[in-house]
């Protein structure tokens, strides 16, 4: 069947550059599912939402030797081969060039199309909550980073300048993951992010309590 979203998904599963944990095919399936839920609540165009979600991590520059343009080119070639029209190709490749946490500086995302907003929210949501916690520790472990580089952790509300400069997975929560909830671009995305943020915060509060047990020792 030509023009099929499922055909794009099959091809992507076989061709994406997976890191085997944080950016694997199951991340794509979760973002695709989340994008469907958010997209239908927001009244976004379904095919574009699905294609952006399925193709959004086709080739991450962090995993492909630094080529920031590769994913968009691969997507354009694929959509051309499958007979998608120019406007769809432009929209999907444009999303692949514009989206992602590291590209956000200097962008006015409030002017983005509904479809781009939906998929960006879905991708951010998969970085928070229980799965987000698992992905972060997997990623930190892959990089051989410490769980936490402080002997004693302050309460989250006092983290601001305490651990931001340190390289550890706990520092990554402070630097990035705790701020994603406030970067949601859609109403439906914000509602889901709110629940996941609360889950992640609960985990961190318990982590802090267990980590700080050292301070009950009399040494
Ligand atoms: P994006 O694709 O939006 O740019 P990233 O590629 O930076 O996002 O992150 C992908 C996943 O890896 C997320 O779950 C994120 O939390 C995790 N991650 C990225 N950098 C780190 C890090 N330094 N420590 C722990 N987890 C990280
Ligand atoms: Ni992603």
């Amino acid at each position: 069947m030509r023009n099929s979203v499922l055909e794009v998904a099959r091809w992507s599963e076989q061709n994406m550059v997976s890191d085997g944990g944080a950016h694997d095919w199951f991340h794509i399936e979760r973002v695709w599912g989340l994008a469907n839920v958010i997209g239908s609540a927001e009244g976004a165009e379904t095919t574009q939402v699905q294609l952006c979600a399925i193709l959004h991590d086709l080739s991450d520059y962090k995993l492909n030797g630094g080529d920031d343009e590769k994913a968009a080119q691969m997507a354009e070639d694929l959509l051309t081969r499958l007979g998608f029209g120019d406007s769809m190709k432009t929209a999907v490749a444009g999303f692949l060039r514009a989206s992602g946490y590291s590209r956000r500086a200097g962008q006015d995302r409030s002017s983005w199309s509904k479809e781009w907003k939906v998929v960006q929210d879905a991708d951010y949501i998969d970085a928070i909550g229980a799965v987000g916690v698992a992905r972060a520790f997997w990623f930190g472990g892959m990089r051989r980073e410490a769980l936490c580089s402080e002997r004693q952790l302050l309460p989250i509300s006092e983290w601001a300048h305490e651990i931001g400069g340190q390289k550890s997975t706990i520092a990554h929560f402070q630097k990035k993951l705790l701020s994603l909830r406030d970067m949601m671009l859609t109403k439906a995305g914000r509602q889901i992010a709110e629940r996941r943020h609360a889950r992640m915060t609960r985990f961190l509060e318990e982590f802090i309590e267990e980590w700080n047990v050292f301070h009950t020792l009399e040494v």
Side-chain angles (χ1 to χ4, degrees):
M1 189 174 41
R2 285 174 73 80
N3 280 8
S4 145
V5 169
L6 286 180
E7 208 168 326
V8 173
R10 259 198 304 276
W11 185 91
S12 305
E13 183 174 6
Q14 281 156 13
N15 290 280
M16 78 174 280
V17 183
S18 164
D19 65 10
H23 280 121
D24 59 3
W25 175 250
F26 296 124
H27 164 63
I28 305 301
E29 288 193 350
R30 290 191 303 271
V31 172
W32 182 5
L34 281 162
N36 282 347
V37 171
I38 301 168
S40 77
E42 298 288 326
E45 197 280 310
T46 322
T47 303
Q48 191 191 135
V49 163
Q50 296 194 84
L51 293 178
C52 286
I54 293 167
L55 296 168
H56 86 275
D57 272 332
L58 195 54
S59 183
D60 189 321
Y61 71 94
K62 293 193 287 309
L63 306 170
N64 73 10
D67 187 345
D68 204 15
E69 177 58 22
K70 191 167 176 201
Q73 274 165 11
M74 284 169 79
E76 272 179 39
D77 292 348
L78 173 68
L79 297 179
T80 303
R81 273 201 310 281
L82 294 177
F84 285 92
D86 283 347
S87 65
M88 185 64 83
K89 282 190 285 186
T90 306
V92 174
F95 179 73
L96 267 50
R97 290 191 180 96
S99 65
Y101 184 79
S102 47
R103 296 201 186 97
R104 75 198 182 288
Q107 286 182 342
D108 174 17
R109 292 186 168 181
S110 65
S111 65
W112 275 11
S113 69
K114 198 184 278 182
E115 289 72 23
W116 285 20
K117 288 179 178 173
V118 163
V119 182
Q120 184 61 87
D121 280 3
D123 192 27
Y124 279 0
I125 287 171
D126 199 52
I128 60 179
V131 167
V133 168
R135 291 177 76 208
F137 281 103
W138 183 89
F139 194 101
M142 178 191 67
R143 290 235 185 128
R144 293 282 184 268
E145 286 180 2
L147 301 180
C148 172
S149 49
E150 304 282 313
R151 175 165 284 110
Q152 180 171 20
L153 280 168
L154 293 171
I156 300 170
S157 57
E158 291 166 48
W159 274 12
H161 302 292
E162 293 303 320
I163 57 173
Q166 304 290 330
K167 269 203 160 186
S168 73
T169 302
I170 285 294
H172 184 65
F173 284 91
Q174 193 263 332
K175 273 204 283 280
K176 172 177 173 183
L177 304 182
L178 286 169
S179 59
L180 293 180
R181 175 192 57 175
D182 298 328
M183 294 184 189
M184 289 295 120
L185 301 166
T186 67
K187 187 161 173 262
R190 244 185 318 278
Q191 282 168 356
I192 303 174
E194 200 66 63
R195 290 198 293 279
R196 303 240 178 155
H197 183 89
R199 229 172 256 166
M200 178 169 66
T201 306
R202 244 181 353 258
F203 165 81
L204 289 170
E205 282 163 354
E206 288 173 1
F207 183 98
I208 293 168
E209 184 193 313
E210 293 178 17
W211 189 260
N212 288 346
V213 75
F214 170 78
H215 294 274
T216 64
L217 298 177
E218 290 184 21
V219 286

